[in-house]
Amino acid sequence: MKRIAILGSTGSIGRSTLNVIENNPERFQLLTMAAGSNTEAALNDARRWKPKVLSLASEQDAEKVRKQLKDEGLGEIEIAHGQAGTVRVATHPEVDFVVSAIVGVAGLKATYEAVRAGKEVGLANKECLVAAGELITAEARRQNKPLLPIDSEHNAVHQCMRGGRMNEVERVWLTASGGPFLNTPTSDFEKITVEQALNHPTWKMGQRITIDSATLMNKGFEVIEACRLFDMPPERVKVIVHPQSTIHSLVEFNDGSILAQLSVTDMRLPILYALTYPERIESDLRFNVLDLKRLDFAPPDPDKFPCLRLAYEAAAAGGSKTIALNAADEVAVAAFLKREIGFTDISKVVERTMNETPDRHPESIEEVLAIDAQARSLAQEQLPRHVAR
Ligand code: NAD
Ligand code: MG
């Protein structure tokens, strides 16, 4: 029986993970969970799953949930909150496997502490690898524990890499759906609305990653994620647009062989793979090969999607530049969702913040979080409301 902690239990990946656990009760037990601010969902989960620890983002929400559960006779569930709460969930001594699926840098400390505590970690939260991948992968190597990618492309690469040795890998091809604006002319980008940007063609996901998929920043983050997970320089990690999202990624070996992974577009499959690795177990997540009509591929357009270029630049520099890339994007996407800036402003905020962030190579998570905070305030200064104040 594998005992599981979920960081980000109320999100899209969190729900899919709970579904995988529910479908395999003989293998997996939900032990602890960290939610954000959705107290209704957190309460329902507490009743259904009776975790040992439940963490909420704020102290106020934690208090509310604690009181309600006590009234219902569920007072034995330990309620925690904030960063310390996520760390408690991730490092509980009885936890074997941590699914890291909080969105953004909010999940970084708990993910790092999970690795440091020697837990097996399944990584959906790519932002923590973008901000602190060097530190996290170094710690995982020290612990001699694998970091199992849940992000579908990296999960595909992980699977394909089992077909050869690391030193035989020539390059990695990450596939991108291209997002909702693949065929929109650049001249129309200024007018893109929040609703249009949230309408992803192939995946249903949280808001941040959906907007990042529309700007291709998500793919840029994934390039950095691949460099760090698979210890490869950015020039050997390529992006190719593949609108059907059927091939989840490809690995090219030195003899010219290319291995690809195909499956349904359902995150429960990479989650199941990570949870059962190195085994594979039966599932009903089937892909009908006879439905495979066509597979299209095209290179991404760097002029239309400047975020991808910025991510490659950050990947080459490493350290504070990738921290700034993520922090500024987090701020800019939130501002776009609040309709404070336009779609094309996102890359501008990120570029200026990156340029203004001095080159540094942090040696601890605390240093990473300090650089992240500085980059956030630099990004905030670019927003119109800052000027208006
Ligand atoms: P989501 O917005 O649906 O869920 C995010 C979760 O994080 C929620 O449970 C929320 O409550 C929690 N959270 C947010 N801020 C928090 C805080 N301060 N403290 C504690 N919890 C907090 O997002 P998602 O789509 O599930 O994505 C989660 C992560 O997985 C992201 O990093 C994303 O890039 C990555 N990812 C998602 C998908 C997907 O298909 N959804 C695919 C690949 C990678
Ligand atoms: Mg992905």
Side-chain angles (χ1 to χ4, degrees):
M1 183 69 80
K2 223 171 233 185
R3 291 161 302 180
I4 296 166
I6 305 181
L7 300 169
S9 52
T10 54
S12 163
I13 294 289
R15 297 337 279 177
S16 295
T17 306
L18 287 171
N19 186 272
V20 169
I21 297 175
E22 195 155 38
N23 290 337
N24 298 279
E26 70 298 342
R27 282 183 175 263
F28 309 128
Q29 183 197 345
L30 187 277
L31 203 90
T32 59
M33 62 212 309
S37 50
N38 185 345
T39 50
E40 253 342 281
L43 274 168
N44 284 334
D45 284 343
R47 294 177 189 120
R48 159 71 180 84
W49 294 96
K50 306 204 171 46
K52 293 244 159 120
V53 186
L54 167 65
S55 179
L56 280 300
S58 78
E59 185 169 8
Q60 208 183 357
D61 285 342
E63 213 35 70
K64 184 170 144 196
V65 166
R66 183 181 290 119
K67 185 170 177 315
Q68 180 66 32
L69 289 177
K70 199 157 170 241
D71 290 350
E72 293 180 26
L74 290 168
E76 74 281 5
I77 299 176
E78 179 187 330
I79 307 294
H81 70 269
Q83 191 182 72
T86 60
V87 171
R88 170 78 181 135
V89 164
T91 58
H92 190 286
E94 287 169 46
V95 163
D96 303 307
F97 193 106
V98 178
V99 173
S100 167
I102 288 177
V103 58
V105 149
L108 172 56
K109 180 79 175 162
T111 305
Y112 183 72
E113 291 303 329
V115 176
R116 225 161 65 92
K119 309 292 186 192
E120 270 188 81
V121 175
L123 264 179
N125 178 347
K126 65 192 81 190
E127 297 88 356
C128 71
L129 275 187
V130 172
E134 290 123 326
L135 297 175
I136 295 173
T137 52
E139 186 57 35
R141 273 194 297 275
R142 244 193 312 274
Q143 296 289 341
N144 200 19
K145 286 276 157 67
L147 280 173
L148 294 158
I150 289 177
D151 206 351
S152 56
E153 295 76 5
H154 307 75
N155 188 270
V157 169
H158 193 272
Q159 299 197 36
C160 295
M161 283 202 173
R162 292 167 84 178
R165 298 201 181 107
M166 270 315 264
N167 62 1
E168 295 160 351
V169 173
E170 204 151 283
R171 59 181 73 78
V172 161
W173 292 91
L174 301 177
T175 53
S177 71
F181 308 122
L182 180 60
N183 300 313
T184 307
T186 316
S187 54
D188 289 352
F189 268 44
E190 295 276 344
K191 294 182 293 206
I192 286 171
T193 65
V194 171
E195 290 70 27
Q196 287 169 328
L198 282 176
N199 189 19
H200 194 272
T202 50
W203 295 96
K204 281 275 150 280
M205 310 174 286
Q207 289 200 333
R208 163 98 191 275
I209 182 174
T210 305
I211 301 299
D212 285 342
S213 300
T215 60
L216 288 205
M217 182 59 99
N218 179 53
K219 211 47 61 179
F221 285 166
E222 291 182 355
V223 168
I224 299 170
E225 189 183 2
C227 291
R228 286 163 178 184
L229 277 173
F230 306 115
D231 199 16
M232 293 182 74
E235 57 275 13
R236 285 170 52 205
V237 179
K238 304 285 183 194
V239 171
I240 182 142
V241 174
H242 165 46
Q244 289 89 1
S245 301
T246 297
I247 292 185
H248 294 295
S249 278
L250 311 99
V251 174
E252 187 172 342
F253 290 91
N254 55 0
D255 62 354
S257 285
I258 300 176
L259 298 190
Q261 189 260 351
L262 290 75
S263 60
V264 285
T265 47
D266 187 323
M267 291 305 293
R268 288 177 300 174
L269 191 50
I271 292 167
L272 182 69
Y273 173 88
L275 284 174
T276 57
Y277 177 83
E279 270 181 81
R280 288 183 190 270
I281 66 165
E282 294 247 337
S283 92
D284 55 5
L285 299 162
R286 296 287 155 169
F287 177 77
N288 186 356
V289 177
L290 292 173
D291 286 345
L292 201 63
K293 296 285 185 290
R294 54 183 286 181
L295 298 172
D296 296 314
F297 298 96
D301 180 342
D303 298 328
K304 221 161 149 176
F305 299 105
C307 287
L308 191 55
R309 170 181 57 82
L310 294 173
Y312 269 103
E313 284 172 22
S320 55
K321 297 293 181 184
T322 59
I323 301 172
L325 180 84
N326 172 64
D329 182 69
E330 236 170 281
V331 170
V333 169
F336 172 68
L337 286 169
K338 284 192 244 153
R339 296 167 171 77
E340 292 172 353
I341 60 170
F343 187 77
T344 51
D345 294 326
I346 298 174
S347 63
K348 291 178 192 152
V349 170
V350 173
E351 182 151 27
R352 279 193 221 115
T353 308
M354 263 175 66
N355 289 342
E356 285 175 26
T357 299
D359 242 323
R360 274 171 60 196
H361 287 269
E363 281 166 20
S364 69
I365 292 297
E366 284 61 37
E367 258 186 272
V368 170
L369 292 173
I371 297 171
D372 172 78
Q374 280 162 13
R376 262 165 219 277
S377 54
L378 282 174
Q380 291 284 358
E381 284 168 23
Q382 330 262 348
L383 303 182
R385 76 183 127 100
H386 188 88
V387 180
R389 239 183 260 145

